[in-house]
């Protein structure tokens, strides 16, 4: 067994309690065996009978569960810095999309890219995410939009799973937008999604979730219901990009379908909030996208007060959120969304695990859970997110293995 000692404070981030309850243990120790946590508690209460054969010194840092980025579009071809310039000069995201840019421009580049190119680019990003303390990453397809190209991206994730230390969770987002060749016959694209892509992807076990972008420029509520119901019938749990640019009742549909999460939600209605609370749907907030698109923030306080768990994620993608810096997203959850640092922490640990249906395995530091944990050079969580630095993460452990830092 191995022990981590000299921890200033360990935040277990166990599920119980409210969003603000991250369950700090001052002067803590953590014991694990192989890939699983055996014991967590106060250093002076470590049971004497554990056969410890390796000791690690946290040097007075704080220890957190490995961070979970529960919403990313990890693999894509090209970038869109030209659109960033256009938006800086006043162009609207939605107008760029209507003119054939936006998601469709990345679709062109992703179709052109080889599996190898996509994989190596994603691998580089994952290494940098890991250094920031991110141990689990949800990864969406959605820039292929043909059966072949969607499968290509999902296979990139499948292959990466076997050669990176991070846990990767795949989501099929073939319903990201209508591809150009189907603009005049959208029903045929929806048939292709339901009759070919979903069955094939589910059969090949290439995804666990089925996501959709419900928006004026993408899919309607009725189309979403059909696609997500089809996904469910094939064993893919629903997720929705909902109420991002306008109020379109995506949150209500997420509740109706028992979705794992509804994401974005800048324009969520009061009805959407109460429906999500009733059904226990996680709200995934994406403050980097809100910030890059200069949008009003998600009403996080209203959601939290209604009892909706609010996760925090990057939405890393080449358009609305070209950054994978999860601690920066957490800092912005505090400044833009008026969440406390502790609330943001619960949003990137156990609530993020719930958004990807992994909360029985990861997301908190408790006996029986996977030994995914990180050491942060800060005196407490408030100080970490307040004194924002490029990287305060000193060491990363995944599955009990020391995989980053000295
Ligand atoms: O989550 N909202 C839809 N999809 C992405 C943006 C994709 C893009 O701009 O390429 C998002 O923000
Ligand atoms: Fe997204």
């Amino acid at each position: 067994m191995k022990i981590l000692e000299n921890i200033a404070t360990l935040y277990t981030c166990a599920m119980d309690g409210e969003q603000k309850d991250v369950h700090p243990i001052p002067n803590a120790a953590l014991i694990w065996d192989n890939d699983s946590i055996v014991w967590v508690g106060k250093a002076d209460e470590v049971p004497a009978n554990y056969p410890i054969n390796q000791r690690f010194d946290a040097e007075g840092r704080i220890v957190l569960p490995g961070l979970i980025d529960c919403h990313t579009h990890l693999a894509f071809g090209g970038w869109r810095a030209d659109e960033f310039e256009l938006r800086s000069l006043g162009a609207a995201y939605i107008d760029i999309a209507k003119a054939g840019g936006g998601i469709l421009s990345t679709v062109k580049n992703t179709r052109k890219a080889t599996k190898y190119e996509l994989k190596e680019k994603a691998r580089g990003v994952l290494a940098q995410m890991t250094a920031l303390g991110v141990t689990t990453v949800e990864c969406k397809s959605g820039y292929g939009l043909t059966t072949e190209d969607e499968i290509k991206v999902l296979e990139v994730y499948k292959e990466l799973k076997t050669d990176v230390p991070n846990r990767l969770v795949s989501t099929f987002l073939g319903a990201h937008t209508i591809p150009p060749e189907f603009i005049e016959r959208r029903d045929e694209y929806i048939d292709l999604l339901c009759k070919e892509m979903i069955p094939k992807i589910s059969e090949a076990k290439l995804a666990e979730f089925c996501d959709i972008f419900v928006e004026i420029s993408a899919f309607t509520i009725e189309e979403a219901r059909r696609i997500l119901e089809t996904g469910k019938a094939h064993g893919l749990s629903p997720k929705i990009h909902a109420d991002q640019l306008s109020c379109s009742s995506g949150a209500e549909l997420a509740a109706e379908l028992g979705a794992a999460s509804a994401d974005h939600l800048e324009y969520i209605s009061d009805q959407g909030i109460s429906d999500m609370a009733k059904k226990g749907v996680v709200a995934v907030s994406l403050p980097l996208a809100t910030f890059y698109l200069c949008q009003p923030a998600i009403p996080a306080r209203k959601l939290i007060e209604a009892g909706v768990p609010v996760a925090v994620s990057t939405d890393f993608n080449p358009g609305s959120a070209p950054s994978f810096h999860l601690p920066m997203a957490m800092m912005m959850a505090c400044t833009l969304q008026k969440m406390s640092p502790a609330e943001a922490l619960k949003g990137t640990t156990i609530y993020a695990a719930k958004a990807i249906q992994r909360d029985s395995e990861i997301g908190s530091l408790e006996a029986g859970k996977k030994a995914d944990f990180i050491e942060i050079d800060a005196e407490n969580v408030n100080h970490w997110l307040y004194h924002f630095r490029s990287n305060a993460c000193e060491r990363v452990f995944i599955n009990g293995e020391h995989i980053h830092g000295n």
Side-chain angles (χ1 to χ4, degrees):
M1 289 185 188
K2 296 173 183 169
I3 187 167
L4 179 63
E5 301 169 296
N6 198 9
I7 302 170
T9 303
L10 178 147
Y11 296 79
T12 76
C13 300
M15 186 69 91
D16 44 300
E18 297 173 18
Q19 176 116 18
K20 65 177 171 30
D21 298 319
V22 287
H23 312 292
I25 305 175
N27 304 318
L30 172 70
I31 299 174
W32 69 102
D33 191 23
N34 296 313
D35 64 352
S36 298
I37 297 171
V38 173
W39 186 89
V40 178
K42 288 191 162 298
D44 56 10
E45 291 170 9
V46 172
N49 56 341
Y50 286 132
I52 306 290
N53 49 31
Q54 195 173 4
R55 293 178 179 271
F56 291 86
D57 184 351
E59 296 177 10
R61 300 179 190 121
I62 61 171
V63 168
L64 316 174
L67 303 177
I68 298 170
D69 199 339
C70 67
H71 180 140
T72 83
H73 305 250
L74 181 67
F76 52 83
W79 291 92
R80 304 207 312 259
D82 49 340
E83 290 181 9
F84 177 66
E85 184 192 19
L86 290 176
R87 290 206 311 273
S88 309
L89 296 172
Y93 178 77
I94 190 90
D95 294 334
I96 293 173
K98 280 185 194 150
I103 296 171
L104 288 181
S105 127
T106 300
V107 167
K108 239 183 251 159
N109 287 321
T110 306
R111 286 178 177 179
K112 261 192 263 163
T114 64
K115 211 171 162 185
Y116 179 80
E117 288 165 342
L118 293 170
K119 196 174 9 168
E120 293 316 302
K121 184 171 164 189
R123 190 198 304 279
V125 170
L126 277 173
Q128 295 176 75
M129 292 171 101
T130 308
L132 293 167
V134 177
T135 54
T136 296
V137 181
E138 184 261 12
C139 319
K140 301 178 195 297
S141 66
Y143 290 121
L145 310 188
T146 64
T147 307
E148 201 189 13
D149 290 301
E150 285 295 298
I151 288 178
K152 175 175 77 179
V153 174
L154 292 170
E155 282 181 351
V156 163
Y157 299 146
K158 185 176 177 183
E159 289 172 21
L160 279 170
K161 272 178 211 178
T162 63
D163 47 49
V164 299
N166 313 73
R167 295 174 204 285
L168 304 184
V169 175
S170 303
T171 295
F172 171 58
L173 178 58
H176 201 181
T177 193
I178 302 282
E181 61 277 18
F182 282 95
I183 291 286
E184 302 300 328
R185 30 188 201 118
R186 57 189 296 131
D187 287 348
E188 286 179 39
Y189 185 63
I190 294 162
D191 276 348
L192 181 70
L193 284 167
C194 294
K195 295 184 178 157
E196 185 176 302
M197 292 197 206
I198 290 174
K200 275 197 176 162
I201 282 158
S202 148
E203 172 76 32
K205 296 199 170 16
L206 283 170
E208 287 173 53
F209 295 93
C210 184
D211 198 346
I212 185 163
F213 186 19
V214 175
E215 195 52 67
I216 303 156
S217 59
F219 294 87
T220 66
I221 283 287
E222 292 70 31
E223 291 166 345
R225 188 179 283 108
R226 177 176 166 209
I227 294 163
L228 295 175
E229 290 279 21
T230 306
K232 260 173 98 167
H234 286 84
L236 305 179
S237 297
K239 280 181 171 283
I240 305 184
H241 279 68
D243 304 317
Q244 179 188 13
L245 307 171
S246 60
C247 183
S248 49
S249 306
E252 288 88 326
L253 181 66
E256 177 192 318
L257 297 174
S261 69
D263 306 37
H264 285 288
L265 304 175
E266 282 89 340
Y267 289 95
I268 190 173
S269 67
D270 287 346
Q271 186 66 50
I273 294 176
S274 74
D275 287 2
M276 283 178 63
K278 261 183 232 137
K279 290 294 188 67
V281 181
V282 178
V284 177
S285 68
L286 304 163
L288 290 168
T290 304
F291 181 72
Y292 269 109
L293 300 187
C294 296
Q295 287 201 277
I298 181 175
R301 288 258 61 88
K302 266 176 134 179
L303 285 153
I304 291 169
E305 274 152 30
V308 178
V310 180
V312 178
S313 177
T314 61
D315 195 19
F316 175 58
N317 73 72
S320 64
S323 168
F324 49 75
H325 205 304
L326 188 55
M328 182 162 74
M330 295 170 78
M331 180 269 283
M332 287 180 174
C334 302
T335 57
L336 301 178
Q337 299 175 183
K338 306 297 172 210
M339 291 167 69
S340 71
E343 288 173 332
L345 176 61
K346 202 144 175 182
T348 51
T349 55
I350 196 68
Y351 287 173
K354 185 171 160 67
I356 52 171
Q357 298 176 338
R358 286 286 199 286
D359 45 304
S360 62
E361 194 185 31
I362 53 170
S364 62
L365 299 178
E366 297 174 273
K369 289 251 176 133
K370 295 294 181 201
D372 293 3
F373 55 91
I374 60 174
E375 292 175 25
I376 298 289
D377 178 26
E379 63 194 59
N380 55 43
V381 166
N382 281 349
H383 210 283
W384 175 38
L385 296 184
Y386 143 80
H387 175 40
F388 183 74
R389 287 162 290 163
S390 57
N391 192 5
C393 179
E394 293 282 344
R395 275 206 294 212
V396 178
F397 291 74
I398 301 179
N399 266 330
E401 298 284 332
H402 176 193
I403 59 124
H404 180 80
N406 295 317

